[in-house]
Amino acid sequence: QVQLVESGGGLVQAGDSLRLSCAASGRTFSGSTMGWFRQAPGKEREFVGRIAWTGGSAYYRDSVKGRFTISRDNAKNTVYLQMNSLKPEDTAVYYCAARPGVTGSWDYWGQGTQVTVSS
């Protein structure tokens, strides 16, 4: 049973930073891709960024490039989303996801963590 558990959300002001964590368990994630998504009220879930579990560069949506950074700690089976210079439009529920390979469907999802950025 794969489990992804996010933490680190909260209420911050515009310009502040937050770091989200995603603790993964239940399988070997080597070869997997870990992703972050978000869903704002009344909007569809959107891709934020992804990183290969075993290394390589992370990839981000344009609106967060230069502000968000995804990293991983393989020893802790944890992926992080460092969010800097937060904007009110970043307000959303943030989800961690995993897929078994480089491509394909995102098979595993966390429960989400709320990030609220006030102006």
Side-chain angles (χ1 to χ4, degrees):
Q1 182 80 9
V2 174
Q3 271 199 314
L4 302 176
V5 180
E6 303 98 332
S7 60
L11 172 63
V12 297
Q13 294 187 328
D16 286 350
S17 298
L18 271 178
R19 189 178 78 160
L20 306 183
S21 300
C22 172
S25 63
R27 61 160 283 164
T28 300
F29 287 90
S30 176
S32 298
T33 304
M34 305 299 294
W36 286 96
F37 292 75
R38 65 186 181 186
Q39 187 167 20
K43 296 187 177 181
E44 293 189 353
R45 187 175 299 186
E46 64 182 18
F47 169 81
V48 174
R50 67 172 189 265
I51 190 168
W53 191 262
T54 52
S57 300
Y59 178 82
Y60 305 93
R61 69 179 299 109
D62 286 347
S63 61
V64 306
K65 283 180 182 177
R67 299 189 299 122
F68 289 12
T69 303
I70 298 175
S71 62
R72 74 212 184 284
D73 184 332
N74 291 0
K76 295 183 178 180
N77 266 11
T78 300
V79 177
Y80 303 99
L81 178 64
Q82 177 68 44
M83 305 184 294
N84 299 329
S85 303
L86 282 161
K87 304 175 181 180
E89 51 264 43
D90 294 318
T91 294
V93 177
Y94 283 72
Y95 298 90
C96 174
R99 62 188 184 195
V102 176
T103 59
S105 61
W106 297 93
D107 292 341
Y108 308 106
W109 292 85
Q111 82 288 350
T113 186
Q114 177 70 47
V115 172
T116 303
V117 185
S118 63
S119 56

